[in-house]
Amino acid sequence: MDKLYHEKSLTKEEYITLIDNRTPQTSDYLFSLADKRRREYYGEDVFIRGLIEFTNYCKNDCYYCGIRKSNRNVSRYRLSEEDILQCCHEGYVLGFRTFVLQGGEDPYFTDDRICEIISSIRQQFRDCAITLSIGEKNKESYQRFFDAGADRYLLRHETANFSHYAMLHPENLSPQNRQQCITDLKAIGYQVGTGFMVGSPFQTSQNLAEDMLFLKKVQPSMVGIGPFISHKDTPFADKPSGTLDLTLFMIGLIRLTLPYALIPSTTALGTIAPNGRELGLKAGANVIMPNLSPVSVRKKYMLYDNKICTGEESAQCVKCLENRVESTGYHIVVSRGDCRGHCPRTPV
Ligand code: SAH
Protein backbone atom coordinates (compact mmCIF):
# COMPACT_ATOMS: atom_id res chain seq x y z
CA MET A 1 0.00 0.00 0.00
CA ASP A 2 2.78 2.41 0.92
CA LYS A 3 4.60 1.43 -2.25
CA LEU A 4 1.51 2.28 -4.30
CA TYR A 5 1.18 5.60 -2.47
CA HIS A 6 4.76 6.59 -3.28
CA GLU A 7 5.30 5.03 -6.69
CA LYS A 8 1.74 5.35 -8.07
CA SER A 9 1.89 1.94 -9.68
CA LEU A 10 2.24 -1.73 -8.83
CA THR A 11 2.78 -4.94 -10.73
CA LYS A 12 -0.18 -7.11 -11.60
CA GLU A 13 0.78 -9.58 -8.85
CA GLU A 14 1.00 -6.81 -6.28
CA TYR A 15 -2.46 -5.51 -7.15
CA ILE A 16 -3.83 -9.06 -6.91
CA THR A 17 -2.22 -9.54 -3.49
CA LEU A 18 -3.71 -6.31 -2.17
CA ILE A 19 -7.17 -7.16 -3.51
CA ASP A 20 -7.19 -10.77 -2.33
CA ASN A 21 -5.83 -10.08 1.15
CA ARG A 22 -7.84 -6.98 1.94
CA THR A 23 -9.33 -6.67 5.44
CA PRO A 24 -11.35 -3.89 7.06
CA GLN A 25 -8.04 -2.65 8.51
CA THR A 26 -6.10 -2.56 5.24
CA SER A 27 -9.12 -0.99 3.56
CA ASP A 28 -9.28 1.80 6.12
CA TYR A 29 -5.57 2.42 5.69
CA LEU A 30 -6.00 2.57 1.90
CA PHE A 31 -8.86 5.05 2.25
CA SER A 32 -6.77 7.31 4.50
CA LEU A 33 -3.96 7.39 1.93
CA ALA A 34 -6.47 7.95 -0.89
CA ASP A 35 -8.07 10.81 1.03
CA LYS A 36 -4.66 12.43 1.53
CA ARG A 37 -3.89 12.17 -2.18
CA ARG A 38 -7.25 13.49 -3.23
CA ARG A 39 -6.92 16.52 -0.94
CA GLU A 40 -3.50 17.24 -2.41
CA TYR A 41 -4.96 17.55 -5.91
CA TYR A 42 -8.56 18.64 -5.36
CA GLY A 43 -8.86 19.74 -1.72
CA GLU A 44 -12.34 19.15 -0.34
CA ASP A 45 -14.02 19.88 -3.66
CA VAL A 46 -16.71 17.61 -5.03
CA PHE A 47 -17.75 18.31 -8.61
CA ILE A 48 -21.28 17.70 -9.81
CA ARG A 49 -22.24 16.59 -13.32
CA GLY A 50 -25.82 16.78 -14.55
CA LEU A 51 -26.68 13.46 -16.15
CA ILE A 52 -29.22 13.64 -18.96
CA GLU A 53 -30.31 10.18 -20.06
CA PHE A 54 -31.69 11.21 -23.41
CA THR A 55 -32.54 7.86 -25.03
CA ASN A 56 -32.99 4.30 -23.84
CA TYR A 57 -33.13 2.83 -27.33
CA CYS A 58 -30.07 0.66 -27.93
CA LYS A 59 -28.91 -1.47 -30.82
CA ASN A 60 -26.57 -3.46 -28.58
CA ASP A 61 -27.33 -6.50 -26.50
CA CYS A 62 -24.82 -6.42 -23.63
CA TYR A 63 -25.69 -9.28 -21.31
CA TYR A 64 -25.61 -7.16 -18.16
CA CYS A 65 -27.59 -4.14 -19.26
CA GLY A 66 -31.28 -3.56 -18.59
CA ILE A 67 -31.86 -1.47 -21.72
CA ARG A 68 -30.32 -4.07 -24.06
CA LYS A 69 -32.00 -4.47 -27.41
CA SER A 70 -33.63 -7.82 -26.59
CA ASN A 71 -35.41 -6.57 -23.49
CA ARG A 72 -39.03 -6.27 -24.64
CA ASN A 73 -40.20 -5.06 -21.25
CA VAL A 74 -38.55 -1.66 -21.60
CA SER A 75 -40.80 1.22 -22.53
CA ARG A 76 -38.53 3.10 -24.93
CA TYR A 77 -38.24 6.90 -25.06
CA ARG A 78 -36.19 9.66 -26.66
CA LEU A 79 -35.88 13.23 -25.44
CA SER A 80 -36.25 16.01 -27.99
CA GLU A 81 -33.63 18.73 -28.36
CA GLU A 82 -35.99 21.09 -26.52
CA ASP A 83 -36.36 18.60 -23.65
CA ILE A 84 -32.58 18.31 -23.39
CA LEU A 85 -32.07 22.07 -23.38
CA GLN A 86 -34.78 22.38 -20.74
CA CYS A 87 -32.85 19.91 -18.55
CA CYS A 88 -29.71 22.00 -19.03
CA HIS A 89 -31.56 25.20 -18.02
CA GLU A 90 -32.85 23.57 -14.86
CA GLY A 91 -29.40 22.22 -14.16
CA TYR A 92 -27.64 25.53 -14.75
CA VAL A 93 -29.85 27.25 -12.18
CA LEU A 94 -29.04 24.49 -9.70
CA GLY A 95 -25.30 25.08 -10.15
CA PHE A 96 -24.31 22.51 -12.74
CA ARG A 97 -21.49 23.49 -15.10
CA THR A 98 -21.14 20.08 -16.76
CA PHE A 99 -23.85 18.30 -18.70
CA VAL A 100 -23.46 14.63 -19.49
CA LEU A 101 -25.52 13.32 -22.40
CA GLN A 102 -25.82 9.59 -21.92
CA GLY A 103 -27.83 7.06 -23.86
CA GLY A 104 -28.04 3.71 -25.50
CA GLU A 105 -26.56 3.39 -28.98
CA ASP A 106 -29.60 4.78 -30.76
CA PRO A 107 -29.36 5.08 -34.57
CA TYR A 108 -32.09 7.75 -34.56
CA PHE A 109 -29.51 10.13 -33.14
CA THR A 110 -27.38 10.48 -36.24
CA ASP A 111 -24.14 12.44 -36.12
CA ASP A 112 -26.00 15.44 -37.55
CA ARG A 113 -28.59 15.34 -34.77
CA ILE A 114 -25.95 14.91 -32.06
CA CYS A 115 -23.91 17.81 -33.49
CA GLU A 116 -27.01 19.98 -33.60
CA ILE A 117 -27.74 19.25 -29.92
CA ILE A 118 -24.11 19.89 -28.90
CA SER A 119 -24.01 23.21 -30.80
CA SER A 120 -27.22 24.42 -29.15
CA ILE A 121 -25.96 23.58 -25.67
CA ARG A 122 -22.58 25.16 -26.47
CA GLN A 123 -24.26 28.39 -27.64
CA GLN A 124 -26.53 28.73 -24.65
CA PHE A 125 -24.14 27.57 -21.92
CA ARG A 126 -20.73 28.92 -22.83
CA ASP A 127 -19.19 28.32 -19.43
CA CYS A 128 -20.25 24.68 -19.23
CA ALA A 129 -18.50 21.47 -20.17
CA ILE A 130 -20.33 19.04 -22.44
CA THR A 131 -19.70 15.35 -21.87
CA LEU A 132 -20.92 12.60 -24.17
CA SER A 133 -21.55 8.98 -23.22
CA ILE A 134 -23.11 7.45 -26.29
CA GLY A 135 -20.94 4.45 -27.00
CA GLU A 136 -18.74 3.34 -29.86
CA LYS A 137 -18.52 5.53 -32.99
CA ASN A 138 -15.90 5.98 -35.63
CA LYS A 139 -13.16 8.55 -35.30
CA GLU A 140 -14.72 10.92 -37.82
CA SER A 141 -17.91 11.07 -35.76
CA TYR A 142 -15.98 11.70 -32.56
CA GLN A 143 -14.10 14.49 -34.35
CA ARG A 144 -17.35 16.08 -35.54
CA PHE A 145 -18.79 16.04 -31.99
CA PHE A 146 -15.58 17.58 -30.68
CA ASP A 147 -15.65 20.30 -33.32
CA ALA A 148 -19.28 21.00 -32.46
CA GLY A 149 -18.21 21.73 -28.88
CA ALA A 150 -18.08 18.51 -26.87
CA ASP A 151 -15.24 18.49 -24.30
CA ARG A 152 -15.34 15.11 -22.65
CA TYR A 153 -16.34 11.53 -23.42
CA LEU A 154 -17.18 8.65 -21.10
CA LEU A 155 -16.62 5.19 -22.51
CA ARG A 156 -15.93 2.51 -19.93
CA HIS A 157 -13.64 -0.20 -21.22
CA GLU A 158 -15.82 -2.58 -19.10
CA THR A 159 -12.99 -5.10 -18.64
CA ALA A 160 -9.43 -5.09 -19.92
CA ASN A 161 -9.35 -8.88 -20.29
CA PHE A 162 -10.46 -9.94 -23.77
CA SER A 163 -11.87 -13.34 -22.78
CA HIS A 164 -13.76 -11.77 -19.89
CA TYR A 165 -15.09 -9.14 -22.31
CA ALA A 166 -16.48 -11.94 -24.48
CA MET A 167 -18.38 -13.34 -21.49
CA LEU A 168 -20.18 -10.03 -20.99
CA HIS A 169 -20.95 -9.08 -24.58
CA PRO A 170 -22.32 -10.67 -27.75
CA GLU A 171 -19.85 -11.54 -30.49
CA ASN A 172 -20.43 -8.45 -32.60
CA LEU A 173 -18.93 -6.26 -29.85
CA SER A 174 -15.17 -6.44 -29.59
CA PRO A 175 -12.87 -5.17 -26.85
CA GLN A 176 -10.36 -4.18 -29.54
CA ASN A 177 -12.86 -1.82 -31.10
CA ARG A 178 -13.86 -0.36 -27.74
CA GLN A 179 -10.22 0.27 -26.82
CA GLN A 180 -9.59 1.76 -30.25
CA CYS A 181 -12.42 4.19 -29.57
CA ILE A 182 -10.72 5.24 -26.33
CA THR A 183 -7.45 5.78 -28.21
CA ASP A 184 -9.24 7.84 -30.89
CA LEU A 185 -11.03 9.99 -28.33
CA LYS A 186 -7.76 10.78 -26.56
CA ALA A 187 -5.98 11.55 -29.82
CA ILE A 188 -8.71 14.02 -30.77
CA GLY A 189 -8.22 15.86 -27.49
CA TYR A 190 -11.20 14.86 -25.40
CA GLN A 191 -10.90 14.49 -21.66
CA VAL A 192 -11.67 10.79 -21.61
CA GLY A 193 -13.34 8.71 -18.95
CA THR A 194 -13.13 4.97 -18.86
CA GLY A 195 -13.83 2.34 -16.22
CA PHE A 196 -15.45 -0.95 -15.37
CA MET A 197 -18.02 -2.70 -13.26
CA VAL A 198 -16.88 -4.30 -10.01
CA GLY A 199 -18.12 -7.83 -9.43
CA SER A 200 -19.37 -8.35 -12.95
CA PRO A 201 -20.10 -12.02 -13.69
CA PHE A 202 -16.97 -14.19 -14.07
CA GLN A 203 -14.64 -11.37 -12.97
CA THR A 204 -11.52 -12.44 -11.05
CA SER A 205 -9.08 -10.40 -8.98
CA GLN A 206 -6.64 -10.98 -11.81
CA ASN A 207 -9.08 -9.21 -14.14
CA LEU A 208 -9.30 -6.29 -11.71
CA ALA A 209 -5.51 -6.07 -11.58
CA GLU A 210 -5.50 -6.02 -15.39
CA ASP A 211 -8.01 -3.17 -15.26
CA MET A 212 -5.61 -1.25 -13.02
CA LEU A 213 -2.73 -1.76 -15.46
CA PHE A 214 -4.99 -0.70 -18.31
CA LEU A 215 -5.87 2.53 -16.48
CA LYS A 216 -2.22 3.21 -15.79
CA LYS A 217 -1.43 2.79 -19.48
CA VAL A 218 -4.30 4.85 -20.85
CA GLN A 219 -4.14 7.63 -18.22
CA PRO A 220 -7.75 8.74 -18.49
CA SER A 221 -8.91 12.02 -16.94
CA MET A 222 -11.91 10.27 -15.43
CA VAL A 223 -12.52 6.77 -14.13
CA GLY A 224 -16.07 5.57 -13.55
CA ILE A 225 -16.55 2.38 -11.61
CA GLY A 226 -19.53 0.93 -9.80
CA PRO A 227 -20.76 -2.44 -8.66
CA PHE A 228 -22.42 -4.70 -11.20
CA ILE A 229 -26.09 -4.97 -10.23
CA SER A 230 -28.28 -7.61 -11.83
CA HIS A 231 -31.33 -6.70 -13.88
CA LYS A 232 -34.25 -9.11 -13.89
CA ASP A 233 -34.78 -9.08 -17.67
CA THR A 234 -31.20 -9.88 -18.71
CA PRO A 235 -29.25 -13.13 -19.09
CA PHE A 236 -27.45 -12.18 -15.86
CA ALA A 237 -30.67 -11.89 -13.83
CA ASP A 238 -29.49 -14.51 -11.33
CA LYS A 239 -25.88 -13.38 -11.02
CA PRO A 240 -24.84 -11.89 -7.67
CA SER A 241 -24.18 -8.16 -7.58
CA GLY A 242 -20.79 -6.61 -6.85
CA THR A 243 -20.04 -5.73 -3.24
CA LEU A 244 -19.68 -2.41 -1.48
CA ASP A 245 -16.36 -3.27 0.12
CA LEU A 246 -14.64 -4.34 -3.10
CA THR A 247 -15.97 -1.33 -5.02
CA LEU A 248 -14.69 1.06 -2.34
CA PHE A 249 -11.34 -0.73 -2.28
CA MET A 250 -11.01 -0.34 -6.07
CA ILE A 251 -11.83 3.39 -5.79
CA GLY A 252 -8.99 3.74 -3.28
CA LEU A 253 -6.56 1.88 -5.55
CA ILE A 254 -7.54 4.07 -8.50
CA ARG A 255 -7.00 7.28 -6.52
CA LEU A 256 -3.48 6.17 -5.58
CA THR A 257 -2.69 4.95 -9.09
CA LEU A 258 -4.03 8.04 -10.89
CA PRO A 259 -3.88 10.83 -8.28
CA TYR A 260 -5.33 13.50 -10.59
CA ALA A 261 -8.29 11.40 -11.78
CA LEU A 262 -11.86 12.58 -11.52
CA ILE A 263 -13.66 9.65 -9.95
CA PRO A 264 -17.43 9.60 -9.56
CA SER A 265 -19.12 8.05 -6.59
CA THR A 266 -21.74 6.39 -8.73
CA THR A 267 -25.47 5.87 -8.53
CA ALA A 268 -24.86 2.11 -8.61
CA LEU A 269 -22.80 2.48 -5.43
CA GLY A 270 -25.68 4.38 -3.83
CA THR A 271 -28.03 1.62 -4.96
CA ILE A 272 -26.26 -1.25 -3.19
CA ALA A 273 -25.87 0.68 0.09
CA PRO A 274 -27.85 3.65 1.45
CA ASN A 275 -24.65 5.56 2.26
CA GLY A 276 -22.66 4.07 -0.63
CA ARG A 277 -21.94 7.38 -2.33
CA GLU A 278 -20.73 9.01 0.90
CA LEU A 279 -18.39 6.07 1.49
CA GLY A 280 -17.22 6.34 -2.13
CA LEU A 281 -16.17 9.96 -1.52
CA LYS A 282 -14.29 8.94 1.60
CA ALA A 283 -12.52 6.18 -0.34
CA GLY A 284 -11.14 8.65 -2.89
CA ALA A 285 -13.98 9.66 -5.25
CA ASN A 286 -14.58 13.36 -5.93
CA VAL A 287 -17.45 13.58 -8.41
CA ILE A 288 -21.20 13.05 -8.11
CA MET A 289 -23.48 12.71 -11.12
CA PRO A 290 -27.06 13.54 -10.16
CA ASN A 291 -29.82 12.83 -12.62
CA LEU A 292 -31.19 15.81 -14.58
CA SER A 293 -33.50 13.74 -16.78
CA PRO A 294 -37.21 14.61 -16.67
CA VAL A 295 -38.89 12.62 -13.88
CA SER A 296 -41.31 11.14 -16.44
CA VAL A 297 -38.55 9.07 -18.09
CA ARG A 298 -36.30 8.25 -15.15
CA LYS A 299 -37.78 4.86 -14.37
CA LYS A 300 -37.32 3.89 -18.01
CA TYR A 301 -33.54 4.22 -17.92
CA MET A 302 -33.08 1.13 -15.76
CA LEU A 303 -29.66 -0.31 -16.43
CA TYR A 304 -30.06 -2.46 -13.31
CA ASP A 305 -32.77 -3.24 -10.73
CA ASN A 306 -33.72 -0.85 -7.91
CA LYS A 307 -31.82 2.16 -9.27
CA ILE A 308 -32.12 5.07 -6.83
CA CYS A 309 -33.20 8.70 -7.47
CA THR A 310 -35.76 7.79 -10.13
CA GLY A 311 -38.73 9.44 -8.41
CA GLU A 312 -37.54 12.91 -7.49
CA GLU A 313 -37.23 16.26 -9.19
CA SER A 314 -33.68 17.41 -9.99
CA ALA A 315 -33.83 20.16 -7.36
CA GLN A 316 -34.75 17.63 -4.67
CA CYS A 317 -31.89 15.38 -5.76
CA VAL A 318 -29.37 18.19 -5.50
CA LYS A 319 -30.58 19.22 -2.04
CA CYS A 320 -30.34 15.65 -0.81
CA LEU A 321 -26.87 15.24 -2.28
CA GLU A 322 -25.65 18.52 -0.82
CA ASN A 323 -26.58 17.22 2.63
CA ARG A 324 -24.93 13.88 1.95
CA VAL A 325 -21.71 15.48 0.69
CA GLU A 326 -21.56 17.95 3.61
CA SER A 327 -21.89 15.02 6.03
CA THR A 328 -18.60 13.66 4.68
CA GLY A 329 -16.73 16.95 5.25
CA TYR A 330 -16.33 17.65 1.53
CA HIS A 331 -18.13 20.40 -0.38
CA ILE A 332 -19.94 20.65 -3.69
CA VAL A 333 -18.50 23.45 -5.83
CA VAL A 334 -20.02 25.29 -8.78
CA SER A 335 -17.38 24.70 -11.43
CA ARG A 336 -16.71 22.84 -14.65
CA GLY A 337 -14.36 20.70 -12.59
CA ASP A 338 -11.75 20.01 -15.23
CA CYS A 339 -8.98 17.51 -14.65
CA ARG A 340 -5.96 18.97 -12.83
CA GLY A 341 -3.41 16.54 -14.16
CA HIS A 342 -1.63 16.09 -17.41
CA CYS A 343 -3.19 13.18 -19.28
CA PRO A 344 -1.09 12.47 -22.36
CA ARG A 345 -3.00 11.89 -25.58
CA THR A 346 -1.21 8.67 -26.35
CA PRO A 347 -0.83 5.72 -23.99
CA VAL A 348 2.35 5.61 -21.92
N1 SAH B 1 -24.22 3.22 -24.30
C1 SAH B 1 -23.21 3.93 -23.58
C2 SAH B 1 -23.59 4.17 -22.13
C3 SAH B 1 -23.70 2.89 -21.34
S1 SAH B 1 -24.47 3.03 -19.74
C4 SAH B 1 -21.90 3.17 -23.72
O1 SAH B 1 -21.87 2.16 -24.40
O2 SAH B 1 -20.90 3.61 -23.17
C5 SAH B 1 -23.07 3.40 -18.74
C6 SAH B 1 -22.45 2.27 -17.96
O3 SAH B 1 -23.37 1.63 -17.10
C7 SAH B 1 -21.90 1.12 -18.78
O4 SAH B 1 -20.67 1.45 -19.35
C8 SAH B 1 -21.81 -0.02 -17.75
O5 SAH B 1 -20.50 -0.12 -17.19
C9 SAH B 1 -22.81 0.42 -16.67
N2 SAH B 1 -23.86 -0.60 -16.51
C10 SAH B 1 -24.66 -1.14 -17.45
N3 SAH B 1 -25.42 -2.12 -16.93
C11 SAH B 1 -25.09 -2.21 -15.62
C12 SAH B 1 -25.50 -3.06 -14.54
N4 SAH B 1 -26.38 -4.02 -14.73
N5 SAH B 1 -24.94 -2.85 -13.33
C13 SAH B 1 -24.04 -1.88 -13.15
N6 SAH B 1 -23.59 -1.07 -14.11
C14 SAH B 1 -24.11 -1.23 -15.34
Side-chain angles (χ1 to χ4, degrees):
M1 213 87 86
D2 289 311
K3 179 175 176 202
L4 178 58
Y5 181 75
H6 292 293
E7 297 181 11
K8 306 183 175 81
S9 75
L10 292 177
T11 64
K12 185 165 154 186
E13 287 65 37
E14 288 168 332
Y15 278 119
I16 295 174
T17 305
L18 281 184
I19 294 167
D20 283 344
N21 297 303
R22 69 188 190 284
T23 63
Q25 289 72 35
T26 62
S27 299
D28 281 344
Y29 185 57
L30 171 64
F31 303 153
S32 69
L33 295 179
D35 180 66
K36 207 158 125 189
R37 230 358 145 223
R38 163 261 179 69
R39 282 172 194 273
E40 218 174 277
Y41 282 73
Y42 291 102
E44 296 177 344
D45 292 357
V46 172
F47 305 111
I48 50 172
R49 322 296 197 196
L51 186 61
I52 304 171
E53 300 158 333
F54 70 101
T55 173
N56 70 352
Y57 283 85
C58 193
K59 65 180 168 71
N60 292 334
D61 226 5
C62 307
Y63 303 150
Y64 46 84
C65 184
I67 62 168
R68 64 200 299 267
K69 175 173 104 188
S70 304
N71 185 1
R72 298 277 139 73
N73 297 331
V74 181
S75 139
R76 305 280 172 176
Y77 73 90
R78 294 184 177 108
L79 298 185
S80 65
E81 184 177 331
E82 294 68 48
D83 294 334
I84 295 171
L85 286 166
Q86 181 54 37
C87 294
C88 296
H89 276 289
E90 258 182 57
Y92 194 89
V93 174
L94 291 169
F96 289 91
R97 295 296 178 266
T98 292
F99 302 117
V100 182
L101 297 178
Q102 190 180 84
E105 290 198 16
D106 179 358
Y108 168 84
F109 286 99
T110 56
D111 291 356
D112 284 345
R113 287 197 166 109
I114 294 288
C115 286
E116 161 68 29
I117 293 167
I118 297 169
S119 311
S120 306
I121 300 177
R122 179 49 63 239
Q123 266 173 22
Q124 296 189 31
F125 304 94
R126 288 187 182 282
D127 55 340
C128 293
I130 302 174
T131 306
L132 298 177
S133 178
I134 54 175
E136 298 172 34
K137 308 273 175 184
N138 59 42
K139 193 171 181 187
E140 292 67 44
S141 305
Y142 287 148
Q143 185 69 56
R144 286 191 60 194
F145 305 155
F146 190 77
D147 295 339
D151 309 89
R152 307 188 187 134
Y153 206 103
L154 305 178
L155 189 76
R156 292 185 177 182
H157 65 284
E158 310 296 0
T159 171
N161 183 290
F162 285 10
S163 24
H164 185 221
Y165 193 94
M167 298 178 201
L168 304 179
H169 301 92
E171 243 170 57
N172 68 317
L173 295 174
S174 84
Q176 289 93 336
N177 191 60
R178 201 156 178 96
Q179 295 190 7
Q180 184 58 48
C181 288
I182 293 169
T183 306
D184 291 344
L185 288 162
K186 283 211 102 184
I188 290 168
Y190 282 95
Q191 295 175 44
V192 173
T194 188
F196 52 91
M197 289 176 288
V198 177
S200 60
F202 317 110
Q203 185 181 63
T204 61
S205 43
Q206 182 175 330
N207 296 152
L208 288 169
E210 289 162 351
D211 287 324
M212 295 306 301
L213 299 187
F214 178 82
L215 294 178
K216 193 69 198 175
K217 180 177 75 168
V218 172
Q219 309 236 3
S221 313
M222 303 160 288
V223 185
I225 69 163
F228 159 75
I229 303 175
S230 63
H231 185 292
K232 59 181 176 22
D233 299 321
T234 65
F236 289 161
D238 298 326
K239 300 286 184 205
S241 294
T243 62
L244 177 69
D245 86 278
L246 183 54
T247 307
L248 296 174
F249 197 81
M250 295 311 298
I251 290 176
L253 292 183
I254 295 168
R255 171 61 63 206
L256 294 190
T257 304
L258 299 176
Y260 57 79
L262 293 155
I263 306 175
S265 200
T266 53
T267 306
L269 195 51
T271 298
I272 57 164
N275 59 344
R277 283 171 301 175
E278 290 89 318
L279 294 174
L281 294 175
K282 290 183 173 170
N286 62 338
V287 171
I288 301 257
M289 299 174 67
N291 203 323
L292 279 187
S293 311
V295 177
S296 58
V297 304
R298 285 190 189 189
K299 286 198 181 2
K300 299 179 182 169
Y301 198 84
M302 279 291 172
L303 305 181
Y304 44 80
D305 291 335
N306 305 317
K307 187 176 163 207
I308 55 167
C309 309
T310 57
E312 308 149 313
E313 296 289 340
S314 305
Q316 276 174 289
C317 263
V318 170
K319 198 78 227 144
C320 159
L321 278 169
E322 266 168 7
N323 292 334
R324 286 172 182 270
V325 172
E326 289 295 322
S327 79
T328 62
Y330 306 116
H331 311 287
I332 290 179
V333 292
V334 177
S335 147
R336 277 175 49 120
D338 286 300
C339 187
R340 292 186 191 154
H342 172 63
C343 312
R345 287 193 184 191
T346 46
V348 291

